[in-house]
Amino acid sequence: MKKVGLWIALGLALAGTSSAQAQPADLAAARAQLDALLDRTYPELEALYRDIHAHPELAMHETRTAALLAGQLRSAGFEVTEGVGDTGIVGVFRNGDGPTILVRTELDGLPMEEKSGLPYASRTKQSFEGAETFTAHSCGHDIHMAWWVGAARALVAMKDKWHGTLLFIGQPAEENLGGARAMLADGLFERFPKPDFGFAAHVSSEPAGTIYLRSGAAGAASDSYEITFHGRGGHGSMPSATIDPIAMGAHFVSDVQTVISREKDAAAFGVLTIGAFQAGTVANIIPDDAVVKVNMRSHSPEVRSLLTDGMTRTAKAVASMARAEEPTISYLGGTAALINDASMVQQAATVLKPLYGEQVQLVPPTAPPVAASEDFSEFVSAGVPSLFFGIGGYDPEPIAQARASGTPLPVNHSPYFAPRPDPTIRAGVSAIVMAIVGGVRPETAAPGNAQ
């Protein structure tokens, strides 16, 4: 996931259901059953997490990882199909009449060197863009896979507590925001039952074991573009005989920021970042071309359109002022904003808060916006209303030390990112399983899940 500071929720008070609210006896018993099951099986889940952590694979190369998870689902009793959307896997478990429920995890790691110091740290290398590079699960997908397997096992073991069909998806290539789209293009919702609603979760550097529920945008839209400014190269001593693409690119980098500062509503979330500027070879040659790469984040379709339009207009205007031909603007990829279903958030708070107390936090609307992006949004956009949980993964002590010293904690995508597996994996399993057993669903979904 493209993420920095995911689920900023430290110190936020729970809004909504009181922890003193009485628990339905069946949910309390189900939680006790789940806790006992986790006590017995947790060592296996952590061993799986450590194995995956030590052997990360890059987007669309997750062959070992996919095979490992496919075996886990088969042993739990799922019908499993591999190779969906290239390296994706789909597991189906039918348990009578009821809704079809999607539960998704990601499979891929990152092209970076891990520096966490963990005894099971990755030293794996793979080819990336033509060069061998270290790979690491510095985003947390390894932990996600462990709680996904734990949830699959638990739901099968507790099948008397719910009815319906489970669609467990192991999605490739989340890091480049292409895997969900690839699975959909491969007929995911035609070849398999289309889900009525879905769940997913992501670990962060918040307090370990905390379950965060957030209405509205749980992830930003992300759009990346490559802009090539076409000039006319020549000798550095004779700039009047050239059209300088570096000057065009420099103007663009500066001028495009006014789209944020002068066109976007100050109260609306939007970010525009220049991530790369590539041009020239030596000091005394003006090159023919300059390439600028842009990434934009937004929550609403209106701001997303405004940023794209403003970026395009600015690039063309810069070229026009330089008397150059129009720039080449290429879309590199992206995904829509990830919007949580509001009714599912409120129902999850009602179900989970009495069971887990202050471990469950409902993030208020005044919390800082989530700027990270997640292509789980592709499933939501395809008609699957969903709830995307945030799960804390860091001990309170280092969090307090970081606050006291003013030193930021390592966040997702840091080479030092090292969430604590226990209680983080348990929290992910608990959030997903108890939400399903508790009948969390969109208001428009048909009944028939929880008993």
Side-chain angles (χ1 to χ4, degrees):
M1 183 181 191
K2 313 288 185 185
K3 54 196 81 68
V4 177
L6 179 69
W7 292 91
I8 304 298
L10 285 171
L12 296 175
L14 179 73
T17 312
S18 167
S19 61
Q21 182 176 336
Q23 300 178 27
D26 55 344
L27 287 183
R31 189 229 159 133
Q33 181 182 355
L34 177 59
D35 287 349
L37 180 66
L38 281 172
D39 286 342
R40 292 195 305 273
T41 63
Y42 177 78
E44 297 174 21
L45 296 179
E46 182 162 331
L48 176 66
Y49 151 74
R50 288 176 177 238
D51 182 5
I52 296 170
H53 183 97
H55 301 93
E57 295 174 301
L58 299 178
M60 295 303 183
H61 295 280
E62 311 96 326
T63 53
R64 179 186 186 274
T65 306
L68 186 62
L69 265 61
Q72 292 286 333
L73 286 187
R74 287 192 180 97
S75 67
F78 283 71
E79 302 169 11
V80 180
T81 303
E82 299 179 66
V84 181
D86 201 341
T87 51
I89 62 173
V90 177
V92 178
F93 183 83
R94 294 177 173 84
N95 188 31
D97 294 334
T100 297
I101 306 167
L102 179 153
V103 181
R104 174 275 215 168
T105 189
E106 320 93 302
L107 305 179
D108 55 327
L110 288 159
M112 60 184 291
E113 183 177 2
E114 179 177 356
K115 300 178 182 178
S116 67
L118 293 170
Y120 47 90
S122 170
R123 303 309 297 166
T124 299
K125 291 183 178 181
Q126 281 190 318
S127 176
F128 178 72
E129 296 184 349
E132 188 177 59
T133 181
F134 283 104
T135 61
H137 269 303
S138 298
C139 191
H141 295 179
D142 46 358
I143 277 186
H144 303 177
M145 286 182 260
W147 68 44
W148 182 83
V149 168
R153 291 178 177 178
L155 286 165
V156 172
M158 300 170 67
K159 63 184 179 181
D160 61 322
K161 301 292 192 299
W162 61 277
H163 290 132
T165 298
L166 298 176
L167 190 74
F168 267 58
I169 293 176
Q171 180 209 307
E174 188 279 329
E175 293 296 351
N176 64 19
L177 301 179
R181 194 176 291 115
M183 294 190 80
L184 290 167
D186 199 15
L188 176 64
F189 292 160
E190 292 78 41
R191 297 166 58 188
F192 307 95
K194 183 174 181 180
D196 295 293
F197 51 91
F199 298 93
H202 209 291
V203 67
S204 73
S205 54
E206 304 300 335
T210 307
I211 300 168
Y212 293 102
L213 303 169
R214 184 168 193 149
S215 290
S222 176
D223 294 291
S224 294
Y225 289 84
E226 180 179 276
I227 304 170
T228 302
F229 291 100
H230 305 291
R232 183 171 63 237
H235 201 288
S237 68
M238 295 178 283
S240 60
T242 73
I243 297 176
D244 191 344
I246 294 179
M248 283 189 272
H251 275 295
F252 173 80
V253 170
S254 177
D255 293 349
V256 77
Q257 295 302 327
T258 62
V259 177
I260 297 291
S261 66
R262 293 296 179 267
E263 296 188 37
K264 182 186 68 65
D265 184 335
F269 172 76
V271 174
L272 191 154
T273 297
I274 307 299
F277 191 142
Q278 299 158 341
T281 55
V282 295
N284 65 344
I285 299 175
I286 294 172
D288 284 329
D289 299 310
V291 176
V292 178
K293 295 181 182 179
V294 184
N295 177 255
M296 300 177 292
R297 308 292 174 117
S298 56
H299 283 169
S300 72
E302 294 77 17
V303 172
R304 191 181 189 189
S305 177
L306 182 148
L307 295 181
T308 301
D309 176 68
M311 177 272 297
T312 303
R313 281 188 291 106
T314 304
K316 290 181 178 180
V318 163
S320 177
M321 287 190 297
R323 296 176 178 168
E325 65 179 274
E326 276 202 356
T328 301
I329 302 175
S330 303
Y331 186 59
L332 300 178
T335 192
L338 171 56
I339 307 298
N340 271 339
D341 183 88
S343 62
M344 293 179 72
V345 171
Q346 293 299 324
Q347 290 175 49
T350 300
V351 168
L352 298 176
K353 180 63 176 175
L355 295 171
Y356 296 99
E358 292 304 310
Q359 186 179 346
V360 178
Q361 295 287 313
L362 184 60
V363 181
T366 54
V370 178
S373 301
E374 240 288 356
D375 73 346
F376 185 72
S377 61
E378 296 295 326
F379 301 126
V380 178
S381 297
V384 184
S386 296
L387 173 53
F388 192 85
F389 295 100
I391 307 291
Y394 267 64
D395 283 333
E397 184 177 347
I399 292 175
Q401 291 173 350
R403 279 182 158 185
S405 65
T407 304
L409 276 172
V411 296
N412 308 74
H413 289 217
S414 163
Y416 301 98
F417 184 64
R420 176 179 172 178
D422 189 7
T424 308
I425 293 171
R426 291 176 186 262
V429 174
S430 299
I432 294 167
V433 171
M434 293 311 301
I436 291 173
V437 170
V440 174
R441 69 190 60 240
E443 289 180 348
T444 55
N449 182 33
Q451 294 184 316

PDB file of all heavy atoms in Angstrom, residues 413-436:
ATOM      1  N   HIS A 413       6.521   1.031   4.950  1.00  0.00           N
ATOM      2  CA  HIS A 413       7.489   1.298   3.881  1.00  0.00           C
ATOM      3  C   HIS A 413       8.836   1.791   4.417  1.00  0.00           C
ATOM      4  O   HIS A 413       9.738   2.032   3.625  1.00  0.00           O
ATOM      5  CB  HIS A 413       6.957   2.284   2.830  1.00  0.00           C
ATOM      6  CG  HIS A 413       5.879   1.698   1.966  1.00  0.00           C
ATOM      7  ND1 HIS A 413       5.758   1.987   0.631  1.00  0.00           N
ATOM      8  CD2 HIS A 413       4.878   0.837   2.245  1.00  0.00           C
ATOM      9  CE1 HIS A 413       4.714   1.327   0.130  1.00  0.00           C
ATOM     10  NE2 HIS A 413       4.170   0.634   1.110  1.00  0.00           N
ATOM     11  N   SER A 414       8.981   1.939   5.711  1.00  0.00           N
ATOM     12  CA  SER A 414      10.297   2.214   6.273  1.00  0.00           C
ATOM     13  C   SER A 414      11.086   0.907   6.348  1.00  0.00           C
ATOM     14  O   SER A 414      10.516  -0.150   6.662  1.00  0.00           O
ATOM     15  CB  SER A 414      10.170   2.800   7.686  1.00  0.00           C
ATOM     16  OG  SER A 414      11.406   2.712   8.387  1.00  0.00           O
ATOM     17  N   PRO A 415      12.400   0.937   6.101  1.00  0.00           N
ATOM     18  CA  PRO A 415      13.193  -0.298   6.234  1.00  0.00           C
ATOM     19  C   PRO A 415      13.242  -0.797   7.671  1.00  0.00           C
ATOM     20  O   PRO A 415      13.626  -1.942   7.908  1.00  0.00           O
ATOM     21  CB  PRO A 415      14.579   0.115   5.742  1.00  0.00           C
ATOM     22  CG  PRO A 415      14.623   1.587   5.866  1.00  0.00           C
ATOM     23  CD  PRO A 415      13.223   2.074   5.640  1.00  0.00           C
ATOM     24  N   TYR A 416      12.828   0.055   8.626  1.00  0.00           N
ATOM     25  CA  TYR A 416      12.846  -0.319  10.044  1.00  0.00           C
ATOM     26  C   TYR A 416      11.462  -0.695  10.559  1.00  0.00           C
ATOM     27  O   TYR A 416      11.305  -0.969  11.753  1.00  0.00           O
ATOM     28  CB  TYR A 416      13.403   0.845  10.875  1.00  0.00           C
ATOM     29  CG  TYR A 416      14.807   1.246  10.485  1.00  0.00           C
ATOM     30  CD1 TYR A 416      15.030   2.317   9.642  1.00  0.00           C
ATOM     31  CD2 TYR A 416      15.913   0.514  10.936  1.00  0.00           C
ATOM     32  CE1 TYR A 416      16.314   2.681   9.264  1.00  0.00           C
ATOM     33  CE2 TYR A 416      17.204   0.865  10.553  1.00  0.00           C
ATOM     34  CZ  TYR A 416      17.395   1.951   9.723  1.00  0.00           C
ATOM     35  OH  TYR A 416      18.675   2.307   9.336  1.00  0.00           O
ATOM     36  N   PHE A 417      10.467  -0.715   9.705  1.00  0.00           N
ATOM     37  CA  PHE A 417       9.097  -1.032  10.128  1.00  0.00           C
ATOM     38  C   PHE A 417       9.035  -2.469  10.631  1.00  0.00           C
ATOM     39  O   PHE A 417       9.367  -3.397   9.910  1.00  0.00           O
ATOM     40  CB  PHE A 417       8.135  -0.840   8.957  1.00  0.00           C
ATOM     41  CG  PHE A 417       6.684  -1.046   9.302  1.00  0.00           C
ATOM     42  CD1 PHE A 417       6.048  -0.211  10.198  1.00  0.00           C
ATOM     43  CD2 PHE A 417       5.950  -2.055   8.708  1.00  0.00           C
ATOM     44  CE1 PHE A 417       4.701  -0.379  10.502  1.00  0.00           C
ATOM     45  CE2 PHE A 417       4.611  -2.247   8.999  1.00  0.00           C
ATOM     46  CZ  PHE A 417       3.980  -1.401   9.898  1.00  0.00           C
ATOM     47  N   ALA A 418       8.613  -2.637  11.886  1.00  0.00           N
ATOM     48  CA  ALA A 418       8.613  -3.973  12.494  1.00  0.00           C
ATOM     49  C   ALA A 418       7.477  -4.091  13.501  1.00  0.00           C
ATOM     50  O   ALA A 418       7.679  -4.026  14.710  1.00  0.00           O
ATOM     51  CB  ALA A 418       9.955  -4.253  13.173  1.00  0.00           C
ATOM     52  N   PRO A 419       6.243  -4.254  13.025  1.00  0.00           N
ATOM     53  CA  PRO A 419       5.129  -4.424  13.957  1.00  0.00           C
ATOM     54  C   PRO A 419       5.264  -5.713  14.752  1.00  0.00           C
ATOM     55  O   PRO A 419       5.884  -6.677  14.302  1.00  0.00           O
ATOM     56  CB  PRO A 419       3.903  -4.459  13.048  1.00  0.00           C
ATOM     57  CG  PRO A 419       4.417  -4.755  11.688  1.00  0.00           C
ATOM     58  CD  PRO A 419       5.819  -4.278  11.626  1.00  0.00           C
ATOM     59  N   ARG A 420       4.691  -5.687  15.941  1.00  0.00           N
ATOM     60  CA  ARG A 420       4.740  -6.864  16.821  1.00  0.00           C
ATOM     61  C   ARG A 420       3.661  -7.848  16.381  1.00  0.00           C
ATOM     62  O   ARG A 420       2.477  -7.513  16.345  1.00  0.00           O
ATOM     63  CB  ARG A 420       4.502  -6.413  18.260  1.00  0.00           C
ATOM     64  CG  ARG A 420       4.445  -7.541  19.250  1.00  0.00           C
ATOM     65  CD  ARG A 420       4.234  -7.003  20.659  1.00  0.00           C
ATOM     66  NE  ARG A 420       3.984  -8.072  21.599  1.00  0.00           N
ATOM     67  CZ  ARG A 420       3.809  -7.892  22.912  1.00  0.00           C
ATOM     68  NH1 ARG A 420       3.859  -6.657  23.406  1.00  0.00           N
ATOM     69  NH2 ARG A 420       3.576  -8.905  23.709  1.00  0.00           N
ATOM     70  N   PRO A 421       4.014  -9.093  16.070  1.00  0.00           N
ATOM     71  CA  PRO A 421       3.003 -10.030  15.567  1.00  0.00           C
ATOM     72  C   PRO A 421       1.891 -10.353  16.567  1.00  0.00           C
ATOM     73  O   PRO A 421       0.730 -10.501  16.174  1.00  0.00           O
ATOM     74  CB  PRO A 421       3.813 -11.275  15.195  1.00  0.00           C
ATOM     75  CG  PRO A 421       5.150 -11.107  15.829  1.00  0.00           C
ATOM     76  CD  PRO A 421       5.381  -9.653  16.001  1.00  0.00           C
ATOM     77  N   ASP A 422       2.237 -10.458  17.849  1.00  0.00           N
ATOM     78  CA  ASP A 422       1.238 -10.718  18.882  1.00  0.00           C
ATOM     79  C   ASP A 422       1.180  -9.505  19.809  1.00  0.00           C
ATOM     80  O   ASP A 422       2.225  -9.110  20.354  1.00  0.00           O
ATOM     81  CB  ASP A 422       1.614 -11.971  19.681  1.00  0.00           C
ATOM     82  CG  ASP A 422       0.516 -12.434  20.624  1.00  0.00           C
ATOM     83  OD1 ASP A 422      -0.591 -11.864  20.562  1.00  0.00           O
ATOM     84  OD2 ASP A 422       0.777 -13.356  21.420  1.00  0.00           O
ATOM     85  N   PRO A 423       0.041  -8.820  19.912  1.00  0.00           N
ATOM     86  CA  PRO A 423      -1.337  -9.245  19.617  1.00  0.00           C
ATOM     87  C   PRO A 423      -1.895  -8.780  18.273  1.00  0.00           C
ATOM     88  O   PRO A 423      -3.103  -8.858  18.052  1.00  0.00           O
ATOM     89  CB  PRO A 423      -2.118  -8.580  20.748  1.00  0.00           C
ATOM     90  CG  PRO A 423      -1.415  -7.270  20.934  1.00  0.00           C
ATOM     91  CD  PRO A 423       0.051  -7.567  20.712  1.00  0.00           C
ATOM     92  N   THR A 424      -1.051  -8.309  17.373  1.00  0.00           N
ATOM     93  CA  THR A 424      -1.547  -7.725  16.129  1.00  0.00           C
ATOM     94  C   THR A 424      -2.298  -8.755  15.285  1.00  0.00           C
ATOM     95  O   THR A 424      -3.401  -8.476  14.778  1.00  0.00           O
ATOM     96  CB  THR A 424      -0.370  -7.140  15.328  1.00  0.00           C
ATOM     97  OG1 THR A 424       0.372  -6.262  16.174  1.00  0.00           O
ATOM     98  CG2 THR A 424      -0.863  -6.390  14.118  1.00  0.00           C
ATOM     99  N   ILE A 425      -1.719  -9.946  15.111  1.00  0.00           N
ATOM    100  CA  ILE A 425      -2.376 -10.983  14.311  1.00  0.00           C
ATOM    101  C   ILE A 425      -3.688 -11.379  14.960  1.00  0.00           C
ATOM    102  O   ILE A 425      -4.724 -11.529  14.282  1.00  0.00           O
ATOM    103  CB  ILE A 425      -1.446 -12.192  14.134  1.00  0.00           C
ATOM    104  CG1 ILE A 425      -0.231 -11.806  13.281  1.00  0.00           C
ATOM    105  CG2 ILE A 425      -2.193 -13.364  13.504  1.00  0.00           C
ATOM    106  CD1 ILE A 425       0.851 -12.870  13.217  1.00  0.00           C
ATOM    107  N   ARG A 426      -3.696 -11.540  16.281  1.00  0.00           N
ATOM    108  CA  ARG A 426      -4.941 -11.887  16.984  1.00  0.00           C
ATOM    109  C   ARG A 426      -6.016 -10.834  16.748  1.00  0.00           C
ATOM    110  O   ARG A 426      -7.193 -11.166  16.550  1.00  0.00           O
ATOM    111  CB  ARG A 426      -4.680 -12.014  18.483  1.00  0.00           C
ATOM    112  CG  ARG A 426      -3.836 -13.215  18.900  1.00  0.00           C
ATOM    113  CD  ARG A 426      -3.582 -13.153  20.398  1.00  0.00           C
ATOM    114  NE  ARG A 426      -2.664 -14.175  20.867  1.00  0.00           N
ATOM    115  CZ  ARG A 426      -3.037 -15.329  21.416  1.00  0.00           C
ATOM    116  NH1 ARG A 426      -4.323 -15.594  21.550  1.00  0.00           N
ATOM    117  NH2 ARG A 426      -2.141 -16.198  21.824  1.00  0.00           N
ATOM    118  N   ALA A 427      -5.624  -9.560  16.771  1.00  0.00           N
ATOM    119  CA  ALA A 427      -6.599  -8.484  16.585  1.00  0.00           C
ATOM    120  C   ALA A 427      -7.200  -8.526  15.194  1.00  0.00           C
ATOM    121  O   ALA A 427      -8.409  -8.305  15.013  1.00  0.00           O
ATOM    122  CB  ALA A 427      -5.937  -7.137  16.846  1.00  0.00           C
ATOM    123  N   GLY A 428      -6.365  -8.786  14.172  1.00  0.00           N
ATOM    124  CA  GLY A 428      -6.886  -8.874  12.816  1.00  0.00           C
ATOM    125  C   GLY A 428      -7.868 -10.018  12.648  1.00  0.00           C
ATOM    126  O   GLY A 428      -8.933  -9.858  12.031  1.00  0.00           O
ATOM    127  N   VAL A 429      -7.527 -11.174  13.195  1.00  0.00           N
ATOM    128  CA  VAL A 429      -8.442 -12.321  13.155  1.00  0.00           C
ATOM    129  C   VAL A 429      -9.749 -11.977  13.867  1.00  0.00           C
ATOM    130  O   VAL A 429     -10.848 -12.209  13.347  1.00  0.00           O
ATOM    131  CB  VAL A 429      -7.795 -13.564  13.793  1.00  0.00           C
ATOM    132  CG1 VAL A 429      -8.821 -14.705  13.881  1.00  0.00           C
ATOM    133  CG2 VAL A 429      -6.571 -14.017  13.019  1.00  0.00           C
ATOM    134  N   SER A 430      -9.620 -11.396  15.052  1.00  0.00           N
ATOM    135  CA  SER A 430     -10.808 -11.108  15.871  1.00  0.00           C
ATOM    136  C   SER A 430     -11.738 -10.119  15.182  1.00  0.00           C
ATOM    137  O   SER A 430     -12.965 -10.297  15.180  1.00  0.00           O
ATOM    138  CB  SER A 430     -10.379 -10.561  17.236  1.00  0.00           C
ATOM    139  OG  SER A 430      -9.599 -11.511  17.938  1.00  0.00           O
ATOM    140  N   ALA A 431     -11.169  -9.057  14.597  1.00  0.00           N
ATOM    141  CA  ALA A 431     -12.001  -8.043  13.944  1.00  0.00           C
ATOM    142  C   ALA A 431     -12.801  -8.653  12.801  1.00  0.00           C
ATOM    143  O   ALA A 431     -14.024  -8.436  12.686  1.00  0.00           O
ATOM    144  CB  ALA A 431     -11.125  -6.908  13.438  1.00  0.00           C
ATOM    145  N   ILE A 432     -12.140  -9.432  11.946  1.00  0.00           N
ATOM    146  CA  ILE A 432     -12.806  -9.997  10.777  1.00  0.00           C
ATOM    147  C   ILE A 432     -13.828 -11.060  11.175  1.00  0.00           C
ATOM    148  O   ILE A 432     -14.985 -11.040  10.737  1.00  0.00           O
ATOM    149  CB  ILE A 432     -11.770 -10.576   9.801  1.00  0.00           C
ATOM    150  CG1 ILE A 432     -10.909  -9.448   9.213  1.00  0.00           C
ATOM    151  CG2 ILE A 432     -12.443 -11.378   8.690  1.00  0.00           C
ATOM    152  CD1 ILE A 432      -9.665  -9.930   8.498  1.00  0.00           C
ATOM    153  N   VAL A 433     -13.413 -11.990  12.038  1.00  0.00           N
ATOM    154  CA  VAL A 433     -14.294 -13.109  12.403  1.00  0.00           C
ATOM    155  C   VAL A 433     -15.513 -12.624  13.163  1.00  0.00           C
ATOM    156  O   VAL A 433     -16.657 -12.993  12.845  1.00  0.00           O
ATOM    157  CB  VAL A 433     -13.513 -14.157  13.219  1.00  0.00           C
ATOM    158  CG1 VAL A 433     -14.471 -15.209  13.789  1.00  0.00           C
ATOM    159  CG2 VAL A 433     -12.464 -14.822  12.351  1.00  0.00           C
ATOM    160  N   MET A 434     -15.314 -11.783  14.168  1.00  0.00           N
ATOM    161  CA  MET A 434     -16.453 -11.359  14.971  1.00  0.00           C
ATOM    162  C   MET A 434     -17.368 -10.403  14.217  1.00  0.00           C
ATOM    163  O   MET A 434     -18.572 -10.353  14.488  1.00  0.00           O
ATOM    164  CB  MET A 434     -15.969 -10.741  16.279  1.00  0.00           C
ATOM    165  CG  MET A 434     -15.289 -11.749  17.216  1.00  0.00           C
ATOM    166  SD  MET A 434     -16.237 -13.281  17.484  1.00  0.00           S
ATOM    167  CE  MET A 434     -17.762 -12.639  18.184  1.00  0.00           C
ATOM    168  N   ALA A 435     -16.835  -9.667  13.265  1.00  0.00           N
ATOM    169  CA  ALA A 435     -17.706  -8.848  12.421  1.00  0.00           C
ATOM    170  C   ALA A 435     -18.618  -9.735  11.585  1.00  0.00           C
ATOM    171  O   ALA A 435     -19.822  -9.453  11.437  1.00  0.00           O
ATOM    172  CB  ALA A 435     -16.878  -7.934  11.523  1.00  0.00           C
ATOM    173  N   ILE A 436     -18.088 -10.823  11.046  1.00  0.00           N
ATOM    174  CA  ILE A 436     -18.897 -11.744  10.243  1.00  0.00           C
ATOM    175  C   ILE A 436     -19.887 -12.497  11.111  1.00  0.00           C
ATOM    176  O   ILE A 436     -21.084 -12.579  10.791  1.00  0.00           O
ATOM    177  CB  ILE A 436     -17.981 -12.699   9.453  1.00  0.00           C
ATOM    178  CG1 ILE A 436     -17.224 -11.909   8.369  1.00  0.00           C
ATOM    179  CG2 ILE A 436     -18.785 -13.838   8.825  1.00  0.00           C
ATOM    180  CD1 ILE A 436     -16.167 -12.707   7.632  1.00  0.00           C
TER     181      ILE A 436
END
